[in-house]
């Protein structure tokens, strides 16, 4: 894969998804829509954002991990997902009108795991998506 294609098909989507996640997670709470009217919507948002970010970054890293090692993949990405989920939630408390929430961490972790699992399943099926 040439550098231009790698950037546009792998790196750019991962960067864009990460920027969207950072903007939504770290924006002041009073600048975001009120999701408290729909129970669980906040957690669904955390889940989806983290599933997406781990899926897209798995696509980036997989390009460099040759040969593919299942145990190394799972270990690296689970550790990354745990660190990232907790770090982002900790940073969120620094934004005005935002708070540290253990249930958000749980949603982040679950989303990270699902994004990684989806990538792995598609990789094993030799999907063009990965």
């Amino acid at each position: 894969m040439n550098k231009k294609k790698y950037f546009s098909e792998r790196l750019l989507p991962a960067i864009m998804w990460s920027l969207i996640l950072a903007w939504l997670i770290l924006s002041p709470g009073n600048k975001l829509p009120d999701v408290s009217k729909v129970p669980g919507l906040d957690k669904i948002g955390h889940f989806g954002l983290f599933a997406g970010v781990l899926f897209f970054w798995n696509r980036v890293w997989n390009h460099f991990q040759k040969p593919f090692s299942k145990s190394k993949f799972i270990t690296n990405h689970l550790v990354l997902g745990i660190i990232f989920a907790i770090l982002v939630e900790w940073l969120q408390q620094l934004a005005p009108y935002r708070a540290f929430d253990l249930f958000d961490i749980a949603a982040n972790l679950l989303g990270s795991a699902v994004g990684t699992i989806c990538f792995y399943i598609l990789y094993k099926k030799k999907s063009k998506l990965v």
Side-chain angles (χ1 to χ4, degrees):
M1 178 179 293
N2 67 39
K3 288 181 182 181
K4 189 173 184 179
K5 190 172 182 178
Y6 170 77
F7 178 79
S8 65
E9 291 183 5
R10 292 185 185 262
L11 193 56
L12 187 60
I15 290 170
M16 295 302 296
W17 195 270
S18 297
L19 290 173
I20 291 167
L21 181 142
W23 177 73
L24 288 170
I25 295 287
L26 302 175
S27 290
N30 62 345
K31 302 290 184 191
L32 297 172
D34 181 16
V35 295
S36 64
K37 296 173 184 166
V38 181
L41 187 58
D42 173 52
K43 305 308 176 245
I44 292 169
H46 280 265
F47 173 88
L49 285 169
F50 277 80
V53 82
L54 262 291
F55 179 83
F56 285 122
W57 281 107
N58 281 325
R59 293 181 70 237
V60 170
W61 295 315
N62 180 58
H63 181 72
F64 297 105
Q65 186 180 341
K66 305 291 182 201
F68 186 86
S69 164
K70 181 180 176 180
S71 62
K72 188 175 181 181
F73 172 81
I74 291 170
T75 303
N76 289 346
H77 296 286
L78 286 179
V79 169
L80 174 73
I82 291 167
I83 291 170
F84 190 58
I86 294 169
L87 176 66
V88 167
E89 194 60 29
W90 181 81
L91 288 172
Q92 188 177 24
Q93 72 182 342
L94 302 176
Y97 304 101
R98 301 301 287 263
F100 183 88
D101 184 353
L102 290 175
F103 291 111
D104 284 351
I105 290 177
N108 297 350
L109 290 171
L110 188 59
S112 296
V114 167
T116 299
I117 290 166
C118 287
F119 172 85
Y120 183 75
I121 290 168
L122 291 171
Y123 176 83
K124 284 307 208 183
K125 291 185 176 193
K126 300 184 183 337
S127 171
K128 292 182 181 184
L129 295 174
V130 297

